[in-house]
Amino acid sequence: MFHFGFRRYNLPFRQAVRTAHGVWAEREGLLLRLEDQSGIVSFGEVAPIPWFGTETREESEAVCRELGAEVSAETLAAVPERYGCLRFALASALKSDAAASIVGKKALPVAALLPAGRAALDVIESKAEAGFRTFKWKVGVADIGDELAMLDDLIAKLPSGAKLRLDANGAWDRRKAERWLGCCAERPVEFVEQPCFASASQGADACRRSDELLLGLANDYPTPIGLDESVVSAGDVTRWLELGWSGVFVVKPALLGETAAVIARLEKAKARVVFSSALETAVGAKAALRLAFAYDGEPRALGFGVWPLFRDERFDGPYQAPFIRAQDVLAINEEAVWNALS
Ligand code: MG
């Protein structure tokens, strides 16, 4: 049995995040606290992104209220799968002693986030000087001709040996995706993230056509393609593995529910995985980064170049740097983050 507690949070971002669904100004979520009978305390975070298809904060909060103040491990394990973010939080709290599993990698590189459009050109040099060697640029935001013209200006500013990731967030149709991928073929582009996407709300036919388009593009062009919006749940990851997807999986552990089985499947398939932030607090980030450090596969720059993220910096993870060290992850003080909500 455990003593169970949870606290809700509404944390304004330092800068509002522009998404395909509009402006995201404030992160909503829950922190969970479990205390076992010997007094050992552990924490987890529910950080949903409902427009990605996860539960809402209110939905997971209603489940937490029903769980009550005293719960058994069996009850916690029985939370239904559609509460993927809550299941991730509970699983990471229950397995927090697995922190000892960070042994394989001492440090992992972090990708520097570049602003969309021409503003990226002003930022790239200072990021390179700080030591970043992987850069991520949001595309599909402005006119395609203007963006393609900017691509070479951007590449010219990259330090030698640097990698560039492009993230279209599903903005392109087939013709635009083909034009971009044709251009990337001769350029140092590590991968193109989510060139096209159809959400479930567009219907099953649109989703099937979009999946086929992604598979076709992956076959026709040499630059790898990354799936992000396409792999929101553990079920999505499994489905793409079964389709033989050989591109990149951008994995936001916070959305994946109980991660053990799906991570094992990715490892077995020797999948190329980029572990990424769901813009969670340091509590969820600690659990997600533990998985990244333990992943048995080629280390790739983390999609965790997000901090400082919150107006209240007590909720941020390790500060933005070109590397995150395993010891920085272990040093995250979850209890301090929990107490900051009292
Ligand atoms: Mg993305």
Side-chain angles (χ1 to χ4, degrees):
M1 294 296 289
F2 295 91
H3 294 296
F4 173 67
F6 64 94
R7 286 176 180 170
R8 27 186 299 145
Y9 66 71
N10 285 58
L11 297 171
F13 293 124
R14 287 162 59 101
Q15 284 180 318
V17 179
R18 268 196 298 166
T19 76
H21 295 259
V23 175
W24 190 11
E26 184 178 84
R27 224 268 172 256
E28 294 185 345
L30 302 170
L31 294 185
L32 313 183
R33 181 182 183 277
L34 288 178
E35 182 175 346
D36 73 10
Q37 283 167 323
S38 57
I40 293 175
V41 175
S42 60
F43 299 89
E45 177 172 355
V46 185
I49 310 182
W51 53 91
F52 264 51
T54 72
E55 79 259 38
T56 64
R57 190 261 303 271
E58 274 60 37
E59 287 168 333
S60 40
E61 192 178 358
V63 177
C64 288
R65 228 176 281 121
E66 264 175 51
L67 289 173
E70 303 293 323
V71 283
S72 67
E74 291 72 33
T75 308
L76 295 176
V79 169
E81 274 194 29
R82 68 176 222 82
Y83 301 97
C85 301
L86 176 55
R87 281 170 61 89
F88 173 76
L90 292 169
S92 48
L94 287 168
K95 284 182 218 127
S96 63
D97 54 341
S101 69
I102 299 184
V103 283
K105 302 177 179 92
K106 286 205 169 72
L108 283 171
V110 176
L113 288 179
L114 302 176
R118 194 152 279 282
L121 296 170
D122 303 329
V123 174
I124 199 162
E125 273 162 316
S126 64
K127 297 270 186 191
E129 262 167 47
F132 287 95
R133 287 299 177 269
T134 302
F135 300 85
K136 175 168 161 171
W137 188 38
K138 290 264 182 203
V139 288
V141 179
D143 173 76
I144 183 168
D146 292 347
E147 281 186 345
L148 281 169
M150 265 183 272
L151 178 63
D152 280 325
D153 294 345
L154 205 107
I155 288 172
K157 289 199 172 223
L158 290 178
S160 68
K163 290 174 177 165
L164 180 64
R165 298 172 177 175
L166 305 177
D167 189 354
N169 290 109
W172 299 328
D173 58 16
R174 174 193 294 274
R175 280 186 42 216
K176 284 182 183 160
E178 287 178 345
R179 215 172 134 195
W180 268 98
L181 286 163
C183 234
C184 292
E186 319 257 283
R187 291 170 171 81
V189 173
E190 184 191 11
F191 63 88
V192 175
E193 196 168 314
Q194 205 70 49
C196 320
F197 181 63
S199 71
S201 63
Q202 292 168 264
D205 276 354
C207 289
R208 189 181 39 77
R209 278 197 302 275
S210 155
D211 290 359
E212 280 167 8
L213 176 53
L214 288 166
L215 288 162
L217 293 170
N219 264 328
D220 292 347
Y221 293 91
T223 307
I225 291 174
L227 301 178
D228 180 4
E229 283 85 347
S230 288
V231 289
V232 173
S233 67
D236 292 334
V237 173
T238 304
R239 192 168 60 81
W240 282 97
L241 283 171
E242 283 166 359
L243 286 168
W245 183 253
S246 60
V248 173
F249 289 82
V250 177
V251 164
K252 293 178 171 63
L255 313 184
L256 280 191
E258 228 167 298
T259 50
V262 69
I263 296 281
R265 261 178 241 132
L266 286 162
E267 286 175 336
K268 187 161 172 249
K270 302 201 186 316
R272 300 190 257 185
V273 175
V274 169
F275 286 89
S276 285
S277 165
L279 305 188
E280 61 277 85
T281 78
V283 171
K286 182 175 188 176
L289 286 165
R290 258 178 12 219
L291 294 172
F293 277 84
Y295 186 70
D296 180 17
E298 192 191 328
R300 284 171 191 279
L302 299 164
F304 274 87
V306 294
W307 297 301
L309 177 64
F310 298 108
R311 221 178 278 165
D312 184 338
E313 62 192 24
R314 292 175 299 171
F315 296 92
D316 282 329
Y319 234 60
Q320 196 176 35
F323 288 88
I324 293 181
R325 298 174 305 168
Q327 67 191 84
D328 298 333
V329 175
L330 293 174
I332 290 173
N333 183 346
E334 296 149 296
E335 185 148 31
V337 181
W338 168 264
N339 288 336
L341 284 179
S342 62

